[in-house]
Amino acid sequence: MTIATESALNFLGTVKGSQGESVGTCFQVAPGVLVTAAHVVRDAGGLAIGGTVSFSPIDSDDVSTARVERVDEIHDLAVLRSSTPLPSEVSILSYSDNQLPGSNFHLIGFATLKEGFTYAPRRYLPTIGRWEGRAEAPDGTTLARGKADGVEHGMSGSPILRISDGAVIGVLSQRYTSADGWSSGRIWISRIENLKPLLKGFADIPYEDPAPIQRDEAAWLTETPIDRINLLQDECFFKPDKWDSLWNTAATCIENGEILVISSPQGIGATTFAEHLLAETAPADMQLMRLDPGDWETPTAKALPQKARRAYILDLRDPEHDGPSREFVADLSALASWYKSVRSRLVITVADQLWHGRSSRPIKNLQVISLKEGPDSGQLAEKYISTQNPELLSVVQLPQVHRHLEGMTAVQAQKAIQTILQVAAENRENGTDSNANLADLIVARLDDHHDELDVYFSDSSRPTLTPGGIPTRRADNNQPLSFEDRCLLITLACEKTARFSQIERHSHQLINKLNGKKSSDVISIPAHKALAGAGLRGRLNGIKATISPSEIVTFKRPGFADAAVHYVWNNYASVRRPLMAWLLDLVVDATIDEDATTALIADLLCSNQDVDFIRNDLAKLAVERKQFELLANVVHHAVLDVHMRRRCERLLYDWATRSDMQGVVIEVSRRLLDTERRSIALRRLRRVADSDQQTPETTAAILRIFSLLASTSSTRSWFIAQVAEWIQADRSTPAARLAFIALMSADVDGTPWVLSAEANEEDVTRMLGELLSNIEGVGNADKALMQLIEKVGADTVSYDRLMDYIASAVVAHGAIRSLFSLGARLSEIGQRINHTPLNDIEVRMRIERVPTRSNEGSA
């Protein structure tokens, strides 16, 4: 059962007859206001206005009564009202005449199935159909029609739900009958245009008119739900007084239904502002959603979802792809009124540099506010610590700690808070409870050591002078380091602890790398310097490292070590690439810990949000050294950083068509499937599968992932819903074929998906035909087909239906040669299941197919 089906159960009910039997389906459009087909009310014995009928929630036996308020027998519609509402209601009604012919819809309702000589009721039965458009019934009545093979008795009155967003686009009336010019699987649908007058005065529900901006499905946006309850209960949220005026302006904008644009510098908490604003001010029936740009080159309003009762947040932060054009802003202005009419809201946060020059001009239906300052970092830290670890608050408030928290952005403050909590946890593990000692440890970890490092890396040929021009003598004895000693410091800072000989060798390799030489080159030292100055042990002592009797060198200042690496990275851009090459060489040689090095690289890149370095430098260096796993680990770490996520996901999009990088894309996407980013991850896998550059190895890897998604209970429904649009396309792609192969092993309520009501018969036969036409060239298609035949072999009905599908597919796609190439394997399977698949398919190919169940009468 799909996600859409599960949510529909909350607004669906079953209409009861005079003997308590179920006679049809109803659905709720507003609290206590129910819609069904007029003939269902007649069958329940209550067609007269003011009469009563009984109903139950579709998944419950609790019975309530409803009064018949309005009836339109001509268009087969009725409106009921009850004092006992169902748990929820549909989100929006969309006019039937606006729906596109050929688009798919979802239908679910109570059903009575004929099983032999008896009828078995089903609480609910889902099916998929295809919209065919407006039509005229034999008596001249204007209705809509569609095709849905899975419609059964008892489903009359069910809402016809648009798959993309759950909007109700019609009400199921009945199946075609022979009197209507019988056509297999066709259904009559009552139009929303005829339902609207019946609901006037009873239900305040939005109706969807065509949006002023036509959607472009190729320019998609991923929608991720935001947990409103968690936001409202977030004790760590800190709203400073300086936000009050902007907050009130923004809240009024949300109330008035305008689109809100929040322009702000990076890292001050604009997204947090927007999320909490919507959580507190958006109407309770609106679902909060985060929008993530997919693959657009520049923002386009054609990608914005057009759904009812949603409150969206869209962040525009990528300087390369998120700059809003004049056309985008104009389209936003046009969309604002439409969003208001369907009870949706949109908040856009945008980086100042991207919005520059637009905020000075008033824009119709848009409210622009400029958020210049974030919360005070010290107050933010105290608020967070007081809720997460109150015992630490007194330590954080100590002057020596608090001064290290001042002047940070919200993003920097959050990182500092995590550092404080980590140090406190380590201190507890060491059994030390002294707050004074803890404060020193926190200060050491938070301190950037810039003063000390500025001396170490200063120009030794330019001594620091007093105001009188006299060279100063430092009391702490810190002096500028030579180039060799700076490399020694960097080496030890990166490794923290290593054998004496390893530190010496690695620092020499770094010297060579920075000098543009091979790491293996021997460093030539003039004779007069060979035995001059401090030796290596003295130099290590000079940078405050210790050497154990067993020749282990240790940097006992972890906070200083991290600060030193970041200092070099942040201040000397020209050494970043050779420094990275040196680190990767050490990993290749297996002389340093790969996990620790990966974490160090990720930390350096994330602290600067440096996606460009990943794209232009790290990727090339990793490919040269075949360090694909390390690269995938770094990118995965970066994509989880909320401030790098957008650009890293774009990076994966760009890499998806490169054969040398597809393995990285697959690995990162595989991990993201366990997060809220799974929709984007699946699209990245789809792009790899559809690329002309894919290899058999990448195809096999993607099929393994798809098969796992299809066979895992927690992801099956989601995966089916996501790939349905791929399979429904007129011309399938490699990704669609791989997804279909994976779904051949999936079950829906114990029935193979390909034979379930959720799968469209036309799509299934077309996909089977495409696979059979190239059975040896598409993944494990042949193996999956054999397993499916064997799986249904014990159920005669399912087996016969599958044989029907395969026969139709073979005929339609001229795949007879491919079918006979499978003859030996089909015979082998047949012996195990006591059938003759090849013969059974041949028989069906020679005769006209006969429907297995009646298609006449009301649904």
Side-chain angles (χ1 to χ4, degrees), residues 788-847:
L788 178 60
I789 293 173
E790 185 170 6
K791 185 177 184 178
V792 302
D795 181 359
T796 302
V797 174
S798 296
Y799 174 82
D800 287 342
R801 194 172 179 195
L802 180 59
M803 294 300 104
D804 289 345
Y805 284 1
I806 295 174
S808 298
V810 171
V811 172
H813 288 78
I816 296 177
R817 183 185 298 274
S818 295
L819 175 67
F820 282 103
S821 72
L822 299 173
R825 299 176 65 182
L826 288 169
S827 296
E828 181 184 346
I829 294 295
Q831 291 176 4
R832 292 203 291 267
I833 62 176
N834 198 28
H835 285 286
T836 54
L838 186 58
N839 182 66
D840 295 336
I841 296 169
E842 283 187 275
V843 170
R844 285 166 170 80
M845 290 166 58
R846 296 193 185 113
I847 63 173

Side-chain angles (χ1 to χ4, degrees), residues 300-320:
T300 171
K302 294 178 181 179
L304 292 171
Q306 298 173 3
K307 299 180 182 178
R309 304 181 195 269
R310 297 287 196 276
Y312 294 113
I313 295 175
L314 171 63
D315 290 323
L316 299 180
R317 299 285 164 179
D318 184 351
E320 188 174 357

Side-chain angles (χ1 to χ4, degrees), residues 743-761:
L743 288 177
M744 287 169 70
S745 64
D747 287 345
V748 176
D749 297 331
T751 301
W753 175 81
V754 296
L755 303 177
S756 72
E758 292 192 6
N760 183 281
E761 180 178 344

